[in-house]
Amino acid sequence: MTTNHIVLNNLHKAFNVKKNDPVIALDNVDFTIQKGEFISLLGPSGCGKSTLLNIIAGLDQQTSGELLVNGKPITGPGNDRIVVFQESGLFPWLSVLENVMYGLLIKGIDKKEAEARAMEWLAKVHLTKFAHSQPHELSGGMKQRVAIARALVMDPEILLMDEPFAALDEQTRMVLHKELEKLWSETKKTIIFVTHNIREAVVLSDRIVLMKTRPGGIKNVFEVQAARPRTADSLTTHLENRILEELEQEMEKVLKEEFGSDYSLKTDRVSSSPDRYMGSDI
C-alpha cells in the first residue's frame, strides 16, 4: 500500500528582486510523492528545481500554497530531511570519520555509538580504509560518497540531492549511480534528486518530473517502468528521447530570450545526446 509522503498543493514562490517587480520562480506546483519513491527533478537552468528542493528542505519558504510531509506543514529544516549538495561541503579540518560523526555528536549521541554508526556507513560506501584521511586526500567521487554517508547516518526519512554528481567525470558518475541505487534499495528512503542529465534521471528514478521554463511548474511526469538495475536498452532509450523532445521545447524558450525570437533549437541543435547536461551551460 502506497503512502502520501510529500504533498505539494498549488505551491507558488516569488522573489522580490526589484521593488514591485517580483520574479516568479514557481507557480501552481501540484504533486504528490509516495514514501520510498525515487523522484528526479529535471529541466532547463532557472526553472526552479533547486528552489523547489530548498522549500522541501525547509531552507526557503513558499510565497503561497501548501507543503505537507507526513500530513504536517513544513516550517523549517528538520532531521527528517537532509540535503546533499553538488559540493560535498566536508569540513577540511576534520577527518572522514569525524565528518560523518559530526551530525550525530551535535544531536547528542554518545561518541562511541556515533563512531560505530559512522564506521558502519563508511563501510556501506566502501571508504572504511579512508576513515582517518583528510578530505583533501580524497577524489571528488570519494568526497561525495562521504557526503552521502554523512547524510544517511542521520537516518532521515527524505534525502534531497541537488546535482550531487554534476562535477564528476562520466565513469565516476556511473559508479555512484550504482552505489546510490543500492543504498536506496536497502534503506527505502524517499529521494528527491535534482539533475540536468536525462540519462542519469532515467537510470535512477521511479518517476521523472520535467519542469518548465520560468515561471517554474510541472510540464510532464514520466514513469520509468524499466526493471532495475537499468541498462541502456530500447525502453530507456525511447524514454530518454521522449523527455529530450519535451525538454528541448523548454530550452528553446530560454534560448529565444538570449539569442532572439528567430532562434530555433531544431536547426541550431545544441546536442542530440540524451545524457548531455541539458541547460547547464546556457
Side-chain angles (χ1 to χ4, degrees):
M1 183 177 177
T2 56
T3 306
N4 286 349
H5 197 191
I6 304 168
V7 178
L8 300 93
N9 288 323
N10 196 24
L11 211 68
H12 179 92
K13 176 64 179 179
F15 292 100
N16 294 315
V17 179
K18 294 180 182 178
K19 192 175 181 180
N20 300 321
D21 186 22
V23 173
I24 300 173
L26 296 170
D27 190 36
N28 192 31
V29 177
D30 284 290
F31 192 61
T32 300
I33 298 171
Q34 309 300 329
K35 195 172 184 67
E37 271 196 294
F38 196 124
I39 300 293
S40 282
L41 304 179
L42 181 71
S45 292
C47 71
K49 302 183 297 295
S50 294
T51 298
L52 182 55
L53 198 80
N54 286 338
I55 291 173
I56 296 171
L59 302 175
D60 200 352
Q61 282 196 319
Q62 67 269 30
T63 306
S64 62
E66 186 177 48
L67 168 62
L68 304 174
V69 174
N70 294 326
K72 297 178 181 178
I74 292 302
T75 57
N79 289 331
D80 59 333
R81 290 155 284 124
I82 292 184
V83 185
V84 175
F85 296 99
Q86 183 173 334
E87 297 294 330
S88 63
L90 302 181
F91 298 125
W93 58 88
L94 297 180
S95 69
V96 166
L97 176 60
E98 290 167 336
N99 266 283
V100 178
M101 289 171 59
Y102 184 81
L104 295 173
L105 295 176
I106 292 296
K107 199 177 176 182
I109 302 296
D110 174 77
K111 187 176 180 180
K112 265 194 171 180
E113 184 181 346
E115 185 172 335
R117 287 196 205 175
M119 287 301 295
E120 180 184 345
W121 274 102
L122 285 175
K124 288 182 179 181
V125 296
H126 311 290
L127 286 174
T128 305
K129 68 179 183 178
F130 294 95
H132 300 291
S133 299
Q134 299 299 122
H136 74 269
E137 298 175 288
L138 307 182
S139 68
M142 293 164 74
K143 288 177 183 176
Q144 285 304 76
R145 281 152 61 195
V146 176
I148 291 169
R150 182 178 60 181
L152 289 175
V153 76
M154 301 300 293
D155 195 25
E157 290 186 51
I158 301 164
L159 186 63
L160 302 162
M161 309 187 80
D162 195 356
E163 297 195 70
F165 308 144
L168 305 177
D169 63 80
E170 180 67 21
Q171 290 79 14
T172 303
R173 282 207 311 272
M174 288 170 62
V175 170
L176 290 182
H177 289 165
K178 292 181 184 297
E179 292 297 314
L180 180 59
E181 187 176 23
K182 184 172 181 287
L183 291 172
W184 169 73
S185 178
E186 290 174 354
T187 62
K188 309 299 181 188
K189 301 296 182 188
T190 302
I191 296 181
I192 304 175
F193 189 96
V194 169
T195 181
H196 280 100
N197 190 300
I198 300 173
R199 183 155 296 160
E200 182 169 69
V202 171
V203 165
L204 291 172
S205 311
D206 292 320
R207 288 188 293 161
I208 299 166
V209 178
L210 180 61
M211 297 184 66
K212 58 188 180 181
T213 305
R214 196 169 61 209
I218 296 174
K219 180 179 176 66
N220 205 345
V221 179
F222 297 90
E223 187 170 348
V224 187
Q225 296 179 327
R228 295 179 185 272
R230 305 263 166 78
T231 58
D233 58 21
S234 58
L235 177 60
T236 57
T237 302
H238 174 68
L239 180 57
E240 287 172 9
N241 288 332
R242 281 180 58 205
I243 296 170
L244 178 61
E245 187 175 337
E246 292 205 28
L247 182 54
E248 281 183 334
Q249 295 170 12
E250 296 306 307
M251 286 186 64
E252 192 166 84
K253 294 174 186 175
V254 177
L255 293 169
K256 281 181 183 294
E257 288 185 7
E258 183 174 344
F259 297 127
S261 59
D262 60 342
Y263 182 88
S264 173
L265 193 58
K266 294 295 183 184
T267 55
D268 302 287
R269 183 176 294 274
V270 173
S271 170
S272 60
S273 172
D275 61 354
R276 165 134 177 128
Y277 274 74
M278 300 300 292
S280 61
D281 299 319
I282 296 172

